[in-house]
Amino acid sequence: SFNDVRYLSYKDAPCPPEVSLRPGAPASCDLSGHQVVGASKWIANANGEYKWNLDNGFEPYVTASYAYRSKAVGTVEDSDYGQIQSYAVVNLSTGLRGDFNQGQWVISLWLKNAFDKTYYTTLWTGGNGGYEGLLGTPRTLGVTGTLDLSEMARVGADLGGNQLVLVFGLVVVVVGTAFKLALVPFHMWV
């Protein structure tokens, strides 16, 4: 996409440190016509997936995505030192899908930021004319498993009036997950 966003009128803008820290600096600067903070002029995304079916009903797949952002103004005063440089990130994944009764399961191995690009997503003005920023996600490798629980819902509906077992099982799953994630009140014990 193309996104040329500029201030129509911004006459009382804060001055960048390279201006405001000089002796006799003005109290404000005119940034009319300057690019808006955080708005990259060019953004491009491309995604692709290749999948095929095996004789046993399994479906292997491979995916790739590419995301590009051009340079952007990092701070409201449009300092030369507070610019977010352009960057591109590649994400990859591969996995296997299969059927489980009336639901589906998926296991996936994924790699985010495959080429370990170091980039900033946000910048802000720090003290004494310095800048601070938030780095983008580093290279990350992980595995994800998914199971469609529609079969469990069907079994629960078949239980009729005896849904106590289903409720008990659901409570155990929720409490176990909360404990694993150290959520309140379990955060005191982990």
Side-chain angles (χ1 to χ4, degrees):
S1 65
F2 178 73
N3 184 28
D4 190 13
V5 183
R6 299 183 177 277
Y7 295 112
L8 294 177
S9 177
Y10 196 9
K11 296 185 192 265
D12 291 324
C15 293
E18 57 266 25
V19 174
S20 64
L21 294 177
R22 289 189 305 211
S28 65
C29 290
D30 184 4
L31 295 181
S32 300
H34 286 238
Q35 191 174 353
V36 173
V37 175
S40 296
K41 193 177 271 192
W42 291 99
I43 298 173
N45 294 291
N47 300 297
E49 178 181 58
Y50 179 72
K51 59 185 177 180
W52 62 98
N53 291 315
L54 300 177
D55 292 336
N56 57 6
F58 293 151
E59 182 184 78
Y61 66 92
V62 177
T63 65
S65 69
Y66 174 84
Y68 169 80
R69 289 185 69 108
S70 66
K71 181 185 114 171
V73 174
T75 57
V76 70
E77 71 275 356
D78 195 12
S79 170
D80 291 337
Y81 304 107
Q83 303 293 312
I84 298 174
Q85 297 303 310
S86 63
Y87 62 89
V89 177
V90 174
N91 299 320
L92 305 169
S93 71
T94 185
L96 189 64
R97 296 182 184 109
D99 291 328
F100 176 71
N101 293 332
Q102 295 178 348
Q104 188 181 56
W105 59 268
V106 180
I107 187 87
S108 178
L109 173 67
W110 46 266
L111 179 63
K112 306 284 184 184
N113 194 358
F115 301 111
D116 204 18
K117 174 71 176 171
T118 301
Y119 61 98
Y120 285 96
T121 58
T122 307
L123 293 176
W124 59 90
T125 307
N128 298 323
Y131 291 96
E132 299 170 6
L134 182 62
L135 285 170
T137 306
R139 181 185 301 143
T140 309
L141 179 66
V143 176
T144 303
T146 307
L147 176 62
D148 182 359
L149 298 178
S150 61
E151 181 67 15
M152 186 173 157
R154 187 191 62 74
V155 170
D158 289 347
L159 290 175
N162 190 12
Q163 293 185 348
L164 183 61
V165 172
L166 183 62
V167 171
F168 179 74
L170 189 57
V171 167
V172 168
V173 168
V174 169
V175 169
T177 303
F179 185 82
K180 185 70 175 172
L181 297 175
L183 301 177
V184 172
F186 305 109
H187 67 286
M188 296 183 299
W189 299 318
V190 289

